[in-house]
Amino acid sequence: MPESDCLFCKIREGAIPAKIVYQDEHCLAFEDINPQAPTHVLFIPRKHIPTVNDLTEEDRALVGSLYLGAAKVARERGHGDSGYRVVMNTQRDAGQTVFHIHLHLLAGRPLHWPPG
């Protein structure tokens, strides 16, 4: 999918509104429009990368920034001690519906394992 058709690229560019909760030079985070937990935030890289399979060595710091941002938002929202989940789905069978990698931060309720 070209960047011009990517929902998350459109959010990144401000063409589609989103409730932004965090950003740095590598990533942008916003509230999920279909939350699966009281806290459900999506962290996307500013660079368009369709799936985890498309990551390269040069993306190492970028992916790390997604996790650092998620930990910061989780702590700010009071979930640092109680717990939270971060997950990145890859391809359709794993539940990926937008093909721009994104890290889900889920918290605010007990999260069971396995997830489903």
Side-chain angles (χ1 to χ4, degrees), residues 18-73:
K19 185 176 177 192
I20 306 299
V21 300
Y22 175 84
Q23 56 186 315
D24 64 26
E25 69 271 16
H26 298 290
C27 76
L28 179 70
F30 48 90
E31 299 285 348
D32 193 298
I33 62 167
N34 184 26
Q36 301 300 304
T39 292
H40 190 169
V41 177
L42 302 179
F43 290 76
I44 67 166
R46 293 187 182 275
K47 175 182 175 183
H48 180 80
I49 303 169
T51 74
V52 170
N53 295 331
D54 300 300
L55 291 168
T56 66
E57 280 294 321
E58 71 182 33
D59 299 318
R60 185 180 298 269
L62 181 149
V63 173
S65 74
L66 301 177
Y67 282 88
L68 291 171
K72 181 178 186 336
V73 170

Side-chain angles (χ1 to χ4, degrees), residues 67-81 84 105 107:
Y67 282 88
L68 291 171
K72 181 178 186 336
V73 170
R75 285 190 307 271
E76 288 172 351
R77 293 190 175 193
H79 305 300
D81 291 332
Y84 57 93
L105 166 62

Side-chain angles (χ1 to χ4, degrees), residues 73-100:
V73 170
R75 285 190 307 271
E76 288 172 351
R77 293 190 175 193
H79 305 300
D81 291 332
S82 59
Y84 57 93
R85 180 172 293 158
V86 290
V87 64
M88 191 177 294
N89 301 320
T90 303
Q91 303 290 18
R92 292 195 194 286
D93 283 355
Q96 186 176 6
T97 58
V98 177
F99 286 82
H100 181 128

